[in-house]
Amino acid sequence: TLPAAPDQAPPYLQVTNQSVEAISITWRPVSTLHVNGELHSYAITYQRTSNISHAAEFNVTNTTMSATIQNLHFGTLYTMSVAAISSGGLGIYASINVTTAQDVPPA
């Protein structure tokens, strides 16, 4: 029998604006009691909340607890999500909404 997918979302999801077009996202690891098998990686998805049909996704290693997402649109609301991937499959997503910084005209 294959193990189940992780049954807990990554806790303590936080986002920080890095620039008008970049956001950093951090999280804590899923508890080993909830991984259900071997933890392989984390899946990160992001999308403009006004255009939910166009989500982008990438994975980071199982020891990475942060990522910087670049080439975003300034002053735009995004939904950022993170889920653990184990030998049992994709787990539960934790999500947070964040608005990129406004473009500031040069002085």
Side-chain angles (χ1 to χ4, degrees):
T1 306
L2 291 174
D7 59 15
Q8 181 187 56
Y12 304 106
L13 195 61
Q14 295 183 319
V15 291
T16 306
N17 277 301
Q18 296 298 310
S19 70
V20 295
E21 61 178 25
I23 291 176
S24 290
I25 185 168
T26 60
W27 60 92
R28 298 259 176 95
V30 171
S31 165
T32 55
L33 298 174
H34 296 280
V35 170
N36 298 324
E38 182 183 344
L39 179 62
H40 290 291
S41 59
Y42 288 94
I44 301 167
T45 64
Y46 61 98
Q47 60 195 15
R48 284 186 280 176
T49 55
S50 63
N51 191 1
I52 60 173
S53 63
H54 288 77
E57 181 174 336
F58 63 96
N59 291 354
V60 295
T61 66
N62 63 350
T63 57
T64 302
M65 302 300 140
S66 67
T68 298
I69 301 165
Q70 299 183 18
N71 300 317
L72 301 173
H73 297 277
F74 66 86
T76 303
L77 181 62
Y78 285 87
T79 299
M80 309 283 177
S81 303
V82 179
I85 302 173
S86 73
S87 49
L90 180 66
I92 300 167
Y93 277 100
S95 297
I96 190 167
N97 291 332
V98 60
T99 300
T100 52
Q102 293 289 332
D103 191 18
V104 178

